[in-house]
Amino acid sequence: MRLLKNNTSSKTNCDLSHCFLCSNSLPGWQSLIGANRKNLRYKKGATIFNEGEEANGMYFIYSGIVKVHRRWGNQKELIIRFGKAGDMLGYRGLGDEKKYTVSATAIEPVVICYVELAFFESLLQINHSLTYQLMQCYANELQNAEKKMSNLVHMNVKARVADTLLALQSQFGKSKEGNIDIALSRQDIAAFTGTTYETLFRTMQEFIQDKLIKISGKKIFVLKEKKLAELTQVQ
Amino acid sequence: MRLLKNNTSSKTNCDLSHCFLCSNSLPGWQSLIGANRKNLRYKKGATIFNEGEEANGMYFIYSGIVKVHRRWGNQKELIIRFGKAGDMLGYRGLGDEKKYTVSATAIEPVVICYVELAFFESLLQINHSLTYQLMQCYANELQNAEKKMSNLVHMNVKARVADTLLALQSQFGKSKEGNIDIALSRQDIAAFTGTTYETLFRTMQEFIQDKLIKISGKKIFVLKEKKLAELTQVQ
DNA sequence: TCAAAAACATGATATAAATCATACTTTTGC
DNA sequence: GCAAAAGTATGATTTATATCATGTTTTTGA
């Protein structure tokens, strides 16, 4: 998926060129898209949509970070993935069931480009290339999901935490300071790893002891990437 | 996905009308497809493709049952899903990486309709509806994968076994006798549930004791579907 | 700006499920 | 048709990880 330059002012509207939808449509269609899209703003912690709700539209992230997650009971959750500028949300609604099967929550202020499902589907009918790109995007997501599924069953927590940190660094990159360029609560890191806060905490302490990582508040520095990668391999 | 009538003679070739590829193409194209497809046969236990291998083509199941799985080390595996007549394999190869990220193995004799990836991709370029159907198929698979991922983290083994049995019955239906219409080894059921053979065995014994299911060899009879379904709910 | 809530930090304890061990039975290939 | 391999069956033991409990610090919003 496409990356966006670092224009995260929450005042900005989508410029009709960077999101998944626009970048996969011919320039001539942008006025049509512009006329049918809404810009939505969410503050940190706000729900974008909830699992079980009627799927009404497609959400294209213009700026900010979103977690895509599933809840269990009212204390447990699994974070399936994080979405950032250029990513798409809600498209699972295209399946047989027109309901969201996951939830999406802003973990920092987010600007969304939103279109109604009916409009999006009509775009797919006339824009072959958009459908093809969407299909490609799914193929990748499926691979990720299948890999994650397998990791959850086969890897122990230590390996999964190592994998999580490397995945976060790969998706969000490093800041100039050198830390992974995303600020997550330990709770969210645990939910992304598929473990509890306490176990995540202890595992990270172990990594700090072993000098594999370094921590300063919410800033995480990967010190020994190779060692972490080794931990994720079958022993 | 589409179901096929019970014509499982391994001598039969695909009739160019039932598989995912043919049923989503206009009749006029069938001669083109016929000229480019190969019919492949696999016996029980045979590997169709292996994770890590170069992705060379698309596989459409004409008859038989296939497991799609990922290995870990050389003793552990997770079965991601089962495929039957009308289903498709190998399409993950369309993602960024042109390698299979999962393995596919025949668990009973299988007849496959095979086309080269290049041919399939050219079909996608000219057949908009095929691309759209493929995309829809992915959307469903993604929902399944995300649900399974969440189940693996949140549900205990008992709930997962109940879920597995219901899922198998829903996918493969019941025979006239009333058992789930697929013969799997306990090992495979365990791998699909994401647990070990021993734990699966004990859990099934518990279900038999509680009269939720009944067993005769590889035939599994679901006696109390509702009770099993309750076990899968958050308590 | 102050109270309440969320997040962070850690030790102690419980337990679900994996692992190990062993024997019997069925299937498969030569 | 028989040997080897795969699958089935079950008890005993270990262990990784969740759960519980409690206190501190930070963030948030009224």
Side-chain angles (χ1 to χ4, degrees), chain B residues 84-107:
Chain B
K84 62 181 180 189
D87 290 346
M88 187 181 15
L89 305 166
Y91 47 92
R92 306 298 192 284
L94 288 171
D96 286 346
E97 275 277 320
K98 290 273 190 269
K99 283 189 177 171
Y100 297 118
T101 53
V102 295
S103 303
T105 303
I107 61 170

Side-chain angles (χ1 to χ4, degrees), chain A residues 70-73 76-78 80 91-97 99 101-102 121 124-128 131-132 134-136 138-143 145-155 194 232-235, chain B residues 70-73 76-78 80 91-97 99 101-102 121 124-128 131-132 134-136 138-143 145-155 194 232-235:
Chain A
R70 280 180 71 111
R71 286 182 246 268
W72 184 256
K76 291 181 181 183
E77 70 164 340
L78 173 71
I80 289 163
Y91 48 93
R92 305 299 192 283
L94 288 171
D96 287 345
E97 275 278 320
K99 284 188 178 173
T101 53
V102 295
E121 282 177 339
L124 290 178
Q125 295 305 322
I126 51 174
N127 187 345
H128 192 163
T131 312
Y132 186 80
L134 190 59
M135 184 273 293
Q136 290 282 11
Y138 285 2
N140 283 316
E141 295 252 10
L142 261 170
Q143 288 186 187
E146 289 167 348
K147 177 154 186 257
K148 182 155 181 167
M149 213 190 281
S150 158
N151 288 351
L152 285 168
V153 174
H154 296 315
M155 287 179 169
T232 68
Q233 295 310 117
V234 58
Q235 57 300 62
Chain B
R70 279 180 72 112
R71 286 182 246 269
W72 185 257
K76 291 183 181 180
E77 71 165 338
L78 172 71
I80 289 162
Y91 47 92
R92 306 298 192 284
L94 288 171
D96 286 346
E97 275 277 320
K99 283 189 177 171
T101 53
V102 295
E121 283 179 338
L124 290 178
Q125 294 305 323
I126 52 175
N127 188 345
H128 192 162
T131 310
Y132 186 80
L134 191 58
M135 183 273 292
Q136 290 282 10
Y138 285 2
N140 283 315
E141 295 252 11
L142 261 170
Q143 289 187 185
E146 288 167 347
K147 177 156 186 256
K148 182 156 182 166
M149 212 190 283
S150 157
N151 288 351
L152 285 167
V153 174
H154 296 314
M155 287 180 170
T232 68
Q233 296 309 118
V234 57
Q235 58 302 58

Side-chain angles (χ1 to χ4, degrees), chain A residues 34-92:
Chain A
N36 280 278
R37 71 99 205 273
K38 275 183 233 164
N39 272 110
L40 306 176
R41 277 156 229 289
Y42 299 87
K43 39 188 142 171
K44 184 174 172 179
T47 297
I48 298 172
F49 54 80
N50 249 313
E51 49 203 294
E53 284 175 13
E54 197 76 16
N56 45 14
M58 301 286 289
Y59 300 76
F60 301 91
I61 306 177
Y62 181 71
S63 65
I65 296 177
V66 171
K67 65 174 172 179
V68 175
H69 53 124
R70 280 180 71 111
R71 286 182 246 268
W72 184 256
N74 61 352
Q75 293 301 351
K76 291 181 181 183
E77 70 164 340
L78 173 71
I79 295 178
I80 289 163
R81 65 185 181 96
F82 293 101
K84 62 182 180 190
D87 291 346
M88 187 179 15
L89 304 166
Y91 48 93
R92 305 299 192 283

